[in-house]
Amino acid sequence: MSMYGRDPWGGPLEINAADSATDDDRSRNLQDYDRAALSRPLDETQQSWLLGPGEQKKKKYVDLGCIIVSRKIFVWTVGTILAAGLLAGFITLIVKTVPRHHHHPPPPDNYTVALRKALMFFNAQRSGKLPKHNNVSWRGNSCLNDGKSDSATIFKDLVGGYYDAGDAIKFNFPQSFAMTMLSWSVIEYSAKYEAAGELSHVKDIIKWGTDYFLKSFNSTADSIDQLVMQVGKGGTPDDSDPNDHYCWMRPEDIDYDRPVAICHACSDLAADMAAALASASIVFKDNKAYSQKLVHGAKTLFKFSRDQRGRYSAGSNEASVFYNSTSYWDEFVWGASWLYYATGNSSYLQLATTPGIAKHAGAFWGGPYYGVLSWDNKLAGAQVLLSRLRLFLNPGYPYEEILKTFHNQTGIFLCSFLPDFTTFNRTKGGMIQLNHGAPQPLQYVVNAAFLATVFSDYLDAADTPGWYCGPHFYQTSALRKFAETQINYILGKNPRKMSYVVGFGNHYPKHVHHRGASIPKNKVKYNCKGGWKWRDSKKPNPNTIVGAMVAGPDRRDGFHDVRTNYNYTEPTLAGNAGLVAALVALSGDRTTKIDKNTIFSSVPPMFPTPPPPPAPWKP
């Protein structure tokens, strides 16, 4: 039996069932088949069958148990891991053995540097027994008999407070404004003071002033009928009796009498002092006993200001010469605003928003000095302060109408500060002339810079991008730019390349009109006239009164560094307080915003009173 099949190599395949063929026959038959098959080329599969696995190139593998990988890849992987480990260990060894250098914070900006110096001016102006940490080497205890030396007054302890300027007089009117401005700046920018390391310092400065104010009237009483307005005497140009202007002496050497001036109808001064105590009570709210003491004193003073109407300088020839008050209506709005924030008592807000009082204060009309904040006129500051209330609490009726007016008026006078408008002239060097070319301009410039910056920060915090000046919209950055250009001018970016803040930069006034700074501390006591040689000396002051902002240049950017010309070279408390406020507002990180809530800590939740119903309709 035979079967025929197809040879896989292409020929017929015969399989004999009978195993009769010999091995030689089979061999010959296979050779015949092979020659037939190899007569055609073999495909790849056929070649692999013929060659078998032994003929191919062998790859080398490593069996890792769960997977099989190429030996070459395995070697490279392990080598790379070992090399990386050695490199990491080497780097770690270097880091551990090389001495560490701590990263220092970035250097403070110019505003922060100037702020620290400007605060030092207040240390130099301290009267009384100085604290050990006062840090002004050429100052010492002075005028420790203030009050006692005047038998005509009932106030026997008037030690402390601050000398006003280059003399040794304590004027309570500008001193009150200075303390209020410092308190306002702390309330808004406590985080910036903290970042500059000056928060405890500025609070100490404020307390030195408020402690003295509490001695200036019967602060424990609910009602008073008199108030200290001044300690020391300035005299007139013809007055040759020893006084604080005729004599040129270090405060530590004063041996002449220092009279105490009292007022009985001084609404402006009393309301101004009330604002100082009320604002400070918010600064010291964590010291509950002291804060309440300040609030009580502020209430007493404000009641006195309302009960006994009159200008403090009206009956005083000396006050009218040095710090004449033109009105007390602005102090009513100013003092009432601060008392409302300090107490939450809505009666103060009602008074501050009374249209008649606002009208008398000049809130509804312009004039050459409209919007100019100073120790005399606080209206602009009060309007910004009350705009704050509308922006963040918005009490609504019955306050909304007048608060809206204050808010709009704030926008108008801030527009007048911008260089696009001509309400105020500017010097060629860029300084705005808020006092229209009169001497001692810088005190007004710094106040405007503070108001512009703090109001721009209010708008930012209220998510308001800007405001309108007529048909034109301005972003809040325009206000900050105005403030920066003015403060930069004061710090040296002016035609004379002179810093008007003593000790800041390399070029600043060396002949400051200041008794203590101009007389050396050499254990020699110069009498009233003996100090004149230091006053008239052409040599620089032997003592540097760090941080003092002098009165400033003239309308042509000119400046005379002459000690006897106080219109150029005399610093003041009020001027430096505005400078400090502007500097802290501009200083530090732009991401540090105002403190929106602290000023409202005593204000209860507001539930607006619904407006009265309309009159009955009649046909």
Side-chain angles (χ1 to χ4, degrees):
M1 177 180 176
S2 65
M3 292 182 64
Y4 298 91
R6 186 162 180 84
D7 180 1
W9 313 121
L13 176 63
E14 180 180 314
I15 304 175
N16 295 318
D19 195 14
S20 59
T22 63
D23 290 339
D24 290 338
D25 293 336
R26 292 192 191 103
S27 177
R28 280 193 300 270
N29 290 338
L30 283 175
Q31 288 175 0
D32 294 338
Y33 294 151
D34 287 345
R35 282 194 295 270
L38 292 175
S39 64
R40 300 190 316 269
L42 301 179
D43 62 27
E44 185 177 345
T45 304
Q46 294 166 344
Q47 292 179 25
S48 66
W49 288 350
L50 290 174
L51 294 174
E55 298 282 334
Q56 294 180 349
K57 184 178 180 181
K58 294 182 179 180
K59 293 185 179 179
K60 298 180 179 179
Y61 296 96
V62 176
D63 188 351
L64 297 178
C66 57
I67 59 173
I68 299 175
V69 297
S70 168
R71 183 183 301 274
K72 187 175 182 180
I73 295 175
F74 176 75
V75 171
W76 272 103
T77 303
V78 173
T80 302
I81 293 173
L82 290 175
L86 289 173
L87 181 61
F90 183 66
I91 293 173
T92 303
L93 182 64
I94 292 175
V95 171
K96 293 285 186 181
T97 55
V98 173
R100 293 185 181 181
H101 296 284
H102 296 285
H103 292 287
H104 296 287
D109 57 89
N110 281 343
Y111 301 129
T112 301
V113 173
L115 169 67
R116 291 168 178 163
K117 294 180 182 296
L119 288 168
M120 285 300 297
F121 172 74
F122 292 90
N123 294 37
Q125 294 301 102
R126 278 178 169 161
S127 178
K129 185 175 176 58
L130 300 183
K132 293 180 180 180
H133 59 276
N134 198 50
N135 296 331
V136 181
S137 61
W138 46 272
R139 282 302 321 280
N141 299 334
S142 61
C143 298
L144 300 179
N145 290 318
D146 280 355
K148 295 178 184 177
S149 60
D150 189 343
S151 59
T153 179
I154 64 170
F155 301 100
K156 296 303 180 184
D157 179 12
L158 293 174
V159 177
Y162 292 95
Y163 302 127
D164 175 64
D167 49 35
I169 305 175
K170 295 188 286 196
F171 291 109
N172 283 12
F173 193 48
Q175 188 175 167
S176 298
F177 174 72
M179 294 301 109
T180 308
M181 288 295 287
L182 291 180
S183 292
W184 190 1
S185 71
V186 172
I187 292 166
E188 304 289 10
Y189 299 108
S190 60
K192 289 191 173 186
Y193 275 113
E194 186 76 62
E198 294 290 341
L199 183 58
S200 60
H201 185 196
V202 69
K203 291 174 73 172
D204 188 41
I205 289 169
I206 294 168
K207 190 173 186 297
W208 191 267
T210 53
D211 283 350
Y212 165 72
F213 289 151
L214 291 172
K215 298 178 180 181
S216 301
F217 66 103
N218 186 355
S219 59
T220 60
D222 294 330
S223 297
I224 58 174
D225 61 1
Q226 58 182 323
L227 174 65
V228 173
M229 53 189 266
Q230 178 180 328
V231 178
K233 181 182 177 183
T236 60
D238 299 328
D239 191 350
S240 60
D241 292 334
N243 63 62
D244 288 294
H245 282 174
Y246 181 76
C247 298
W248 195 269
M249 304 173 67
R250 297 177 71 242
E252 292 81 359
D253 296 335
I254 289 176
D255 54 6
Y256 49 79
D257 292 336
R258 288 169 56 80
V260 176
I262 303 292
C263 64
H264 297 275
C266 39
S267 299
D268 36 21
L269 173 60
D272 205 19
M273 289 180 66
L277 296 186
S279 57
S281 74
I282 302 172
V283 172
F284 294 105
K285 65 182 181 65
D286 293 336
N287 184 345
K288 190 174 181 180
Y290 188 65
S291 182
Q292 289 178 342
K293 190 176 183 179
L294 293 173
V295 168
H296 182 269
K299 291 179 178 178
T300 299
L301 285 167
F302 198 74
K303 181 178 185 298
F304 174 57
S305 77
R306 298 284 293 157
D307 291 345
Q308 301 295 326
R309 302 290 180 88
R311 289 187 302 115
Y312 96 104
S313 56
S316 169
N317 180 52
E318 197 156 288
S320 64
V321 170
F322 300 118
Y323 284 102
N324 184 49
S325 174
T326 54
S327 164
Y328 51 72
W329 297 101
D330 55 301
E331 279 84 14
F332 280 164
V333 182
W334 180 243
S337 300
W338 279 113
L339 270 163
Y340 172 66
Y341 286 137
T343 66
N345 187 331
S346 61
S347 65
Y348 292 115
L349 181 59
Q350 290 171 5
L351 192 151
T353 55
T354 300
I357 293 178
K359 181 180 178 180
H360 284 302
F364 308 136
W365 56 277
Y369 296 98
Y370 190 73
V372 180
L373 176 62
S374 71
W375 51 262
D376 177 30
N377 194 334
K378 289 89 178 177
L379 176 63
Q383 287 175 321
V384 171
L385 203 57
L386 290 172
S387 297
R388 187 194 209 285
L389 178 66
R390 182 171 187 259
L391 280 167
F392 297 121
L393 291 189
N394 197 8
Y397 181 86
Y399 310 108
E400 168 59 17
E401 185 174 351
I402 189 69
L403 289 179
K404 182 179 179 181
T405 300
F406 284 148
H407 192 170
N408 290 339
Q409 292 297 311
T410 296
I412 289 172
F413 76 70
L414 287 173
C415 292
S416 72
F417 294 166
L418 301 181
D420 294 351
F421 302 94
T422 57
T423 307
F424 299 101
N425 292 329
R426 279 171 164 75
T427 66
K428 288 184 178 180
M431 180 186 69
I432 190 169
Q433 294 181 280
L434 295 169
N435 63 340
H436 302 286
Q440 307 172 30
L442 295 187
Q443 58 181 314
Y444 309 103
V445 173
V446 291
N447 291 338
F450 172 70
L451 291 185
T453 309
V454 78
F455 189 72
S456 73
D457 285 344
Y458 290 167
L459 294 179
D460 287 342
D463 295 324
T464 304
W467 85 112
Y468 280 93
C469 294
H472 304 291
F473 183 80
Y474 287 86
Q475 293 184 339
T476 56
S477 57
L479 289 174
R480 193 176 187 92
K481 184 177 180 182
F482 158 76
E484 288 175 345
T485 57
Q486 297 305 306
I487 297 301
N488 290 346
Y489 179 99
I490 294 172
L491 296 181
K493 197 173 182 179
N494 55 64
R496 298 184 63 88
K497 305 293 189 243
M498 170 175 274
S499 165
Y500 294 114
V501 177
V502 177
F504 182 86
N506 298 320
H507 184 39
Y508 51 82
K510 302 295 196 300
H511 303 79
V512 180
H513 182 94
H514 192 276
R515 285 159 175 76
S518 66
I519 302 175
K521 183 182 179 182
N522 57 5
K523 298 183 179 179
V524 176
K525 180 179 179 179
Y526 298 94
N527 60 22
C528 178
K529 295 182 181 180
W532 287 4
K533 72 174 185 177
W534 298 107
R535 177 193 67 189
D536 302 332
S537 170
K538 299 293 189 288
K539 295 181 179 180
N541 288 352
N543 306 310
T544 303
I545 182 164
V546 174
M549 183 184 76
V550 296
D554 57 32
R555 68 178 71 190
R556 297 177 181 84
D557 296 306
F559 183 80
H560 299 290
D561 190 6
V562 179
R563 190 177 296 110
T564 52
N565 197 333
Y566 57 85
N567 279 331
Y568 289 101
T569 59
E570 186 170 26
T572 64
L573 278 183
N576 254 72
L579 173 67
V580 166
L583 287 171
V584 73
L586 291 171
S587 71
D589 190 349
R590 282 294 304 275
T591 60
T592 304
K593 303 298 184 181
I594 59 161
D595 182 341
K596 286 201 294 186
N597 300 316
T598 297
I599 200 170
F600 299 129
S601 57
S602 296
V603 176
M606 306 194 78
F607 302 100
T609 306
W617 184 83
K618 293 181 180 181

